[in-house]
Amino acid sequence: MSYIDGFVIACPKANKEKFIAHAKLGDSVFMDLGALRVVECWGDDVQKGHTTDFRMAVKAEADEEVLFSWIEWPDKATRDAAFAKMTEWMEDPSKADPRMDPEKNPMPFDGKRMIFGGFAPVLDLKA
């Protein structure tokens, strides 16, 4: 069964087009490293919760929208190999893929408020 990396981000609404451009360039790296699919979703119906919600989780400001994204990998081993490669790039930026260069492809959001994690599917229903 596949392996999923999930992300929740707060991004300024004014940066929507910048985010899309950033994702198109940066996400192509994940595809080249073996991802099967990358999905980027811009908040459309993100409700306020009573105890917690997506907006609170990423401390979204009034001028920001919540984004929900995921990367589907064929398996955890492929994902781990991709992350090892990206860690290698962080340790030696001269070897990094230029699409991941923050000067050439800056994040149009506050990465410190991004929530992310890896998930092993336990159920996968398809039509």
Side-chain angles (χ1 to χ4, degrees), residues 8-19:
V8 181
I9 302 165
C11 183
K13 294 173 184 176
N15 287 354
K16 184 175 183 179
E17 294 307 316
K18 287 180 184 177
F19 174 80

Side-chain angles (χ1 to χ4, degrees), residues 19-29 40 99 105:
F19 174 80
I20 293 168
H22 168 79
K24 282 181 181 177
L25 187 59
D27 290 352
S28 64
V29 173
E40 302 283 2
R99 295 170 290 180
N105 189 19

Side-chain angles (χ1 to χ4, degrees), residues 12-112:
K13 294 173 184 176
N15 287 354
K16 184 175 183 179
E17 294 307 316
K18 287 180 184 177
F19 174 80
I20 293 168
H22 168 79
K24 282 181 181 177
L25 187 59
D27 290 352
S28 64
V29 173
F30 298 123
M31 297 300 294
D32 289 347
L33 291 174
L36 299 174
R37 183 177 180 204
V38 179
V39 179
E40 302 283 2
C41 304
W42 191 267
D44 180 61
D45 185 18
V46 181
Q47 302 293 314
K48 281 192 156 203
H50 296 287
T51 304
T52 190
D53 61 34
F54 281 112
R55 295 191 69 76
M56 284 189 265
V58 293
K59 297 184 179 179
E61 304 286 332
D63 66 334
E64 293 178 320
E65 192 53 76
V66 175
L67 286 64
F68 177 67
S69 307
W70 69 91
I71 303 171
E72 180 180 1
W73 301 95
D75 49 48
K76 190 172 189 296
T78 303
R79 181 269 204 164
D80 288 349
F83 274 55
K85 189 72 167 168
M86 289 185 286
T87 299
E88 179 184 314
W89 294 342
M90 285 186 265
E91 292 170 0
D92 186 355
S94 69
K95 295 180 181 176
D97 188 305
R99 295 170 290 180
M100 299 299 276
D101 183 338
E103 291 192 20
K104 295 178 182 170
N105 189 19
M107 289 192 298
F109 55 88
D110 180 1
K112 292 178 184 141

